[in-house]
Amino acid sequence: MNKTTCGRLAAAVILVLSTPLVAHHGAASFDNEKTLTMKGTVTEWLWANPHCFLKVDVKNDSGAARVWNLELGNPTDISPAGYRRTTFKAGDQVMVTITPVKSGAAVGRLRSVVLPDGQTLPRQ
């Protein structure tokens, strides 16, 4: 085999092996044309790989709370935007802007959050 053939073979192997990684980060379940902004109370902050999650109780007009599960990136990717293991604690009042899922479930991807001290953290 010559160098050109080896190079093409190596490129093909890399493409085949990397496809599942790209597929994992699909956004098909999210309604990327819609955003929601809600005020709520933090119930849990999960700082973990492969994704961090923020759980927020949001009350509707009748006062009933709905727990929203909000996805962020992994700690390494969101740290430059200001997110830390200690950013949220249960009971914090926050304002979140999210991209919701299409199904109507209380799940979304966090776009930004206003912390209790007024600081805004952007999408990671």
Side-chain angles (χ1 to χ4, degrees):
M1 257 194 294
N2 64 29
K3 285 184 178 184
T4 302
T5 303
C6 284
R8 288 182 182 161
L9 181 59
V13 168
I14 290 169
L15 280 173
V16 168
L17 293 176
S18 66
T19 300
L21 295 175
V22 174
H24 167 79
H25 290 94
S29 64
F30 295 97
D31 186 350
N32 291 309
E33 302 299 317
K34 186 176 182 181
T35 60
L36 298 175
T37 299
M38 305 173 289
K39 187 175 186 176
T41 304
V42 172
T43 58
E44 186 177 357
W45 171 230
L46 180 62
W47 182 264
N49 279 315
H51 296 279
C52 295
F53 286 91
L54 179 63
K55 291 186 179 184
V56 179
D57 275 353
V58 177
K59 292 184 180 177
N60 64 17
D61 293 335
S62 66
R66 186 175 188 194
V67 179
W68 281 81
N69 293 294
L70 308 177
E71 177 184 305
L72 292 87
N74 67 61
T76 302
D77 289 344
I78 67 174
S79 290
Y83 294 90
R84 303 288 180 264
R85 179 183 304 273
T86 58
T87 298
F88 305 101
K89 63 182 181 305
D92 283 350
Q93 297 295 309
V94 294
M95 179 80 68
V96 294
T97 300
I98 68 164
T99 301
V101 292
K102 294 175 184 174
S103 70
V107 176
R109 183 174 288 158
L110 189 70
R111 297 177 63 90
S112 67
V113 60
V114 179
L115 301 175
D117 67 3
Q119 178 186 9
T120 300
L121 296 179
R123 180 179 189 166
Q124 67 284 356

